Amino acid sequence: MLKRLEATKIRLEEIDKALMDENITKDIRKFRDLSKERANLEPVVECYEKHLENESNIKDAEMMIGDSDPEISELGRSEHKRLLEEEAELEEKIKILLLPKDPNDDKNIIVEIRGAAGGDEANIFAGDLFRMYVRYAEHNGWHVQMIEENISEAGGFSLVSFMIKGDGVYSRLKFESGAHRVQRVPKTEASGRIHTSTATVLVMPEMEDIEVELKMEDIQVDTYRSQGAGGQNVNKTESAVRMTHIPTGVVVSCQTEKSQIQNREICMQMLRAKIFAKLQEEQEEKFGNERKLKVGTGERSEKIRTYNYPQNRVTDHRIGFTIQKLDRVMEGDLDEILDALMHYDQEMKMLGEQEK
């Protein structure tokens, strides 16, 4: 571990030197990549330097313990104990910082929510989940951009897709993919019986063209008139765009912008994200990685989380985590659940590192 820390410190010094180079500052992409790498390495180096300082202070405290003056000796013991406790916490922090970082953690995301099992109530629940994520984005100062929405007559959405832009969005919401189950008395149910319905959530990191290369000859582009409410442009011009990636069969569409050009750009972003997600899922299945659950058919049994309204309870079944704060969760207070998922992921990665 100390060798890795020393190598990280040397790399940070190399980056600092490179960022002073005129040729680097003129290359926007290179400058951005180095700046991101520096931001990731800096906290590791800070902890390493604190570790070196602690080592020196621990040796000084040990010398004080051996002093003939009882007061100095006692002060040394007290300081030695404090430093050892601090060093133990620091080592745990360093272990987490040295874990392999998901290269997509700092990216914006595209989210797709669909009503699944449960008819109208599933669509209404899909709308509730959409509102929950929008509220969470607002709490964090992130920007939400609509992509596509198929509004259900009973309320909510049969499908809604949107982008969330901000710092570290994917790192916080990447574990939301999967089937979400709700247990409550539906608004559409007069007899007051509790129903169970599901909606599926898919979270995809936004991909750049250099990361997922798409050839236009592989893409079928269709344009059509926008549907639904929305100003003078709706139903008058063919501004809505649908794209089909022929090799993979992935289909995306967007009609939220007035300009066909803007809708095309959004479709390309979605297409890259969906193809990346598809390739990533195939790769994880190939290597037997079952830790991160993906979207299934939306059947009630395929659940990652249950939202129980009568008991005001939310349970994440992947980690056995339960809180009695459903009302707050649905208002976007997701941090307690997301922190638990991130900590579990870190623990699994640490176990994996130890087994190597």
Side-chain angles (χ1 to χ4, degrees):
M1 186 170 76
L2 291 175
K3 286 182 180 179
R4 286 180 66 186
L5 290 169
E6 187 59 35
T8 303
K9 185 179 180 181
I10 292 169
R11 177 58 183 158
L12 185 64
E13 290 169 354
E14 290 173 350
I15 292 173
D16 284 339
K17 187 177 179 181
L19 290 173
M20 300 295 288
D21 189 327
E22 276 188 22
N23 294 324
I24 297 294
T25 56
K26 289 176 183 176
D27 186 338
I28 296 173
R29 192 183 298 276
K30 184 70 173 175
F31 184 82
R32 182 197 63 188
D33 291 344
L34 285 174
S35 297
K36 281 186 177 180
E37 187 181 355
R38 191 192 188 286
N40 291 329
L41 297 181
E42 188 176 24
V44 179
V45 174
E46 285 177 355
C47 285
Y48 179 46
E49 289 175 344
K50 182 62 179 174
H51 161 74
L52 295 175
E53 182 186 334
N54 275 1
E55 272 194 335
S56 177
N57 291 337
I58 287 170
K59 288 177 181 177
D60 291 343
E62 287 171 348
M63 289 180 65
M64 290 172 66
I65 292 171
D67 197 279
S68 57
D69 187 322
E71 288 187 8
I72 294 177
S73 180
E74 181 57 34
L75 181 62
R77 270 190 287 273
S78 175
E79 185 67 1
H80 189 261
K81 181 183 177 183
R82 184 190 69 80
L83 287 167
L84 288 178
E85 290 173 353
E86 185 178 298
E87 182 63 16
E89 292 177 6
L90 191 62
E91 283 184 11
E92 286 302 308
K93 187 177 180 180
I94 289 171
K95 285 178 185 177
I96 291 171
L97 288 170
L98 287 177
L99 288 174
K101 185 174 171 63
D102 188 330
N104 297 316
D105 274 353
D106 295 327
K107 292 184 177 178
N108 301 325
I109 61 172
I110 293 171
V111 185
E112 187 177 273
I113 305 174
R114 294 177 181 269
D120 288 339
E121 175 60 15
N123 294 338
I124 293 169
F125 180 50
D128 294 337
L129 291 176
F130 166 71
R131 181 175 177 273
M132 177 183 77
Y133 291 126
V134 169
R135 287 293 179 92
Y136 184 68
E138 290 171 350
H139 295 337
N140 285 280
W142 298 336
H143 174 67
V144 176
Q145 179 184 358
M146 292 298 297
I147 295 175
E148 184 181 8
E149 54 181 17
N150 294 335
I151 299 171
S152 171
E153 289 183 9
F157 305 95
S158 59
L159 164 68
V160 59
S161 56
F162 53 100
M163 184 178 288
I164 303 180
K165 301 179 179 181
D167 294 334
V169 177
Y170 186 71
S171 70
R172 294 299 292 167
L173 293 174
K174 62 183 175 182
F175 299 118
E176 291 303 288
S177 290
H180 296 239
R181 180 175 73 169
V182 63
Q183 294 174 327
R184 64 183 175 189
V185 177
K187 296 174 184 176
T188 55
E189 178 64 54
S191 63
R193 292 179 299 153
I194 295 174
H195 281 217
T196 298
S197 306
T198 59
T200 60
V201 176
L202 177 60
V203 176
M204 301 166 284
E206 182 187 13
M207 291 287 116
E208 296 182 19
D209 52 357
I210 59 169
E211 295 170 296
V212 178
E213 185 180 356
L214 297 177
K215 297 177 181 178
M216 288 310 298
E217 56 263 34
D218 291 336
I219 300 171
Q220 178 183 319
V221 181
D222 300 302
T223 58
Y224 57 98
R225 293 182 181 183
S226 299
Q227 303 295 316
Q232 297 179 358
N233 208 55
V234 173
N235 295 322
K236 291 188 178 179
T237 62
E238 292 197 348
S239 59
V241 177
R242 182 186 300 108
M243 288 187 177
T244 304
H245 187 246
I246 298 166
T248 61
V250 173
V251 181
V252 298
S253 59
C254 181
Q255 61 176 27
T256 55
E257 302 298 328
K258 292 181 180 180
S259 162
Q260 187 186 115
I261 294 173
Q262 289 175 309
N263 285 330
R264 276 175 174 265
E265 289 175 357
I266 293 171
C267 275
M268 286 299 288
Q269 288 176 322
M270 288 183 67
L271 208 53
R272 282 194 292 268
K274 278 202 165 187
I275 290 170
F276 174 80
K278 184 181 178 71
L279 294 174
Q280 189 180 45
E281 186 173 1
E282 288 173 357
Q283 187 178 34
E284 287 178 354
E285 286 177 0
K286 181 180 178 182
F287 289 102
N289 183 354
E290 298 175 357
R291 184 164 50 83
K292 185 178 176 184
L293 300 180
K294 294 294 183 181
V295 176
T297 61
E299 291 299 321
R300 291 171 178 84
S301 59
E302 294 181 357
K303 59 186 181 296
I304 64 166
R305 190 177 299 152
T306 295
Y307 304 74
N308 185 295
Y309 275 74
Q311 298 177 21
N312 196 38
R313 185 185 77 232
V314 182
T315 299
D316 195 288
H317 303 285
R318 294 166 293 183
I319 58 175
F321 181 81
T322 298
I323 53 173
Q324 306 289 143
K325 300 176 183 177
L326 174 68
D327 51 340
R328 289 167 56 181
V329 167
M330 299 311 293
E331 288 298 319
D333 189 358
L334 285 167
D335 278 331
E336 200 169 340
I337 297 172
L338 300 181
D339 286 343
L341 285 165
M342 290 181 75
H343 291 156
Y344 176 80
D345 183 57
Q346 288 170 353
E347 288 174 7
M348 293 299 100
K349 284 180 179 176
M350 287 174 74
L351 284 173
E353 287 291 298
Q354 290 170 13
E355 289 172 1
K356 286 182 181 180

